[in-house]
Amino acid sequence: MPELPEVEITARGLRQRIIGLQILQIGGVDWPRMLPNSTEAELQTVLPGLTVKVIDRRGKYLLVGFDEDQWLVVHRKMSGNVLLRPGNALPEAHTHIEIEFDDGTLLRFVDPRKFGRVYLFRSFIQLNDFLAAHLGPDSLIDLNEQMLVAKLRGRTGRIKSLLLDQAFVAGIGNLYADEALWEARVHPLRSAASLSKVEMRRLAGAIKSVLMRGIERNGTSFSATYRDVDDQPGENQSFLNAYGRESQPCPRCGRPISRILIGARSAHFCPRCQKLRLSRQ
Ligand SMILES: [Zn+2]
């Protein structure tokens, strides 16, 4: 599932390639549910003739801003990818929307699992209201030690569940949550209220560093899901410390990594480095 680093890589790829391009046409919507707040006909009325002005990211949402203050927002969910193709490219399976630009470039939203969504917002105010209703501070741009300490104050939930809550902090998913907790040496089932200030600070630093490293390595690709705009996989999957490494040695202490279920989702951690009982430090 693409998380913040993968969306950031896509945003950077698009920024280099489609800013200044004008939409010629848009179509190919074969899955109307991917447009939660518009229709293909509305996209075809609003977007042709508009020029791409801004590419941005908030949490796991990719923002594409056009002139006349029109916005497309992509949330890729489990398996969605945003690909750029030359004009003569063959169709690819699972394309649910295609935008043709004036230089012939094709932007395709490709999503085998069909959980991804594309939103249309008719002004930045409308877009901002939507994001404010769904997202807490961005875990790469906004989050720092003081903010995390303040946000965790008085919270009693499990720390991993809080990290996955996009309204608490935006951008982290299962993979980077496991990596950050491993790096901070915090057990995923710890209650937020049990974390010492030192642990909170360590966690804030770990969140930022695992996200930065994910970006530097062009994202993490598991099960052939995440691809960049040129359909290339990332490299970060070869450098993970905890996620997906059940029974393999912890890179810090050598003890096998454990996997447990929290709700329906797996959590990977080192039972020696990440103790469940409150540590005094
Ligand atoms: Zn360990």
Side-chain angles (χ1 to χ4, degrees), residues 18 41 48 51 55 58 95 122 124 127 147 158 232 236 250 255 270 280:
I18 67 166
T51 300
I55 304 287
R58 284 283 303 281
T95 297
R122 310 302 305 275
F124 184 73
L127 164 64
M147 183 184 281
R158 287 169 179 158
Q232 296 303 305
N236 197 46
C250 166
R255 177 115 178 228
C270 171
R280 299 194 181 280

Side-chain angles (χ1 to χ4, degrees), residues 250 252-253 270 273:
C250 166
R252 202 162 32 213
C253 76
C270 171
C273 298

Side-chain angles (χ1 to χ4, degrees), residues 50-63:
L50 297 185
T51 300
V52 180
K53 293 290 186 193
V54 181
I55 304 287
D56 214 338
R57 178 197 59 73
R58 284 283 303 281
K60 303 179 199 172
Y61 290 88
L62 175 72
L63 319 181

Side-chain angles (χ1 to χ4, degrees), residues 2-280:
E3 301 180 28
L4 186 154
E6 291 74 37
V7 182
E8 179 67 23
I9 295 293
T10 297
R12 291 179 184 187
L14 293 179
R15 205 172 283 137
Q16 290 170 3
R17 306 259 288 275
I18 67 166
I19 287 199
L21 299 186
Q22 192 179 49
I23 292 188
L24 279 188
Q25 52 182 338
I26 181 164
V29 176
D30 65 344
W31 180 242
R33 282 171 64 182
M34 62 166 290
L35 301 174
N37 70 345
S38 72
T39 61
E40 183 177 39
E42 186 180 12
L43 299 183
Q44 288 171 337
T45 305
V46 172
L47 294 174
L50 297 185
T51 300
V52 180
K53 293 290 186 193
V54 181
I55 304 287
D56 214 338
R57 178 197 59 73
R58 284 283 303 281
K60 303 179 199 172
Y61 290 88
L62 175 72
L63 319 181
V64 183
F66 302 91
D67 48 6
E68 299 180 19
D69 197 20
Q70 306 296 305
W71 297 82
L72 277 184
V73 171
V74 179
H75 194 253
R76 292 150 71 174
K77 295 284 178 120
M78 299 295 288
S79 62
N81 281 309
V82 176
L83 305 181
L84 291 179
R85 292 296 197 213
N88 56 2
L90 294 171
E92 44 221 314
H94 311 297
T95 297
H96 303 303
I97 193 165
E98 183 175 88
I99 298 176
E100 182 183 359
F101 292 103
D102 56 347
D103 72 342
T105 299
L106 301 173
L107 183 154
R108 287 175 177 160
F109 184 59
V110 176
D111 185 4
R113 308 270 309 260
K114 293 186 175 178
F115 289 112
R117 297 290 179 260
V118 178
Y119 299 83
L120 173 68
F121 293 102
R122 310 302 305 275
S123 70
F124 184 73
I125 292 174
Q126 205 182 72
L127 164 64
N128 216 37
D129 285 348
F130 172 84
L131 294 174
H134 291 84
L135 299 182
D138 189 88
S139 48
L140 182 68
I141 296 168
D142 305 320
L143 192 71
N144 57 36
E145 289 178 13
Q146 295 87 332
M147 183 184 281
L148 187 66
V149 170
K151 284 190 71 76
L152 286 173
R153 193 171 297 135
R155 300 299 294 248
T156 53
R158 287 169 179 158
I159 186 62
K160 183 169 176 190
S161 305
L162 275 177
L163 294 181
L164 294 179
D165 176 359
Q166 301 301 298
F168 179 76
V169 56
I172 304 169
N174 211 30
L175 185 149
Y176 290 97
D178 279 358
E179 291 297 294
L181 289 168
W182 179 87
E183 185 152 322
R185 306 196 294 282
V186 173
H187 193 290
L189 288 177
R190 289 274 300 278
S191 142
S194 77
L195 263 63
S196 68
K197 231 170 203 165
V198 171
E199 287 173 323
M200 293 185 206
R201 293 213 179 100
R202 219 156 58 202
L203 182 57
I207 289 169
K208 201 142 280 193
S209 65
V210 299
L211 295 174
M212 294 291 289
R213 289 204 301 269
I215 293 168
E216 283 162 16
R217 291 170 184 149
N218 207 30
T220 311
S221 300
F222 264 101
S223 319
T225 49
Y226 160 70
R227 292 288 185 269
D228 69 9
V229 296
D230 292 313
D231 206 17
Q232 296 303 305
E235 293 152 20
N236 197 46
Q237 59 276 11
S238 309
F239 297 89
L240 299 177
N241 293 309
Y243 184 88
R245 298 192 64 252
E246 184 183 10
S247 306
Q248 297 176 51
C250 166
R252 202 162 32 213
C253 76
R255 177 115 178 228
I257 294 289
S258 293
R259 174 176 171 274
I260 55 170
L261 285 177
I262 303 178
R265 316 188 69 180
S266 56
H268 305 80
F269 63 97
C270 171
R272 181 179 291 158
C273 298
Q274 296 164 266
K275 297 267 190 231
L276 184 53
R277 269 178 301 139
L278 175 59
S279 55
R280 299 194 181 280

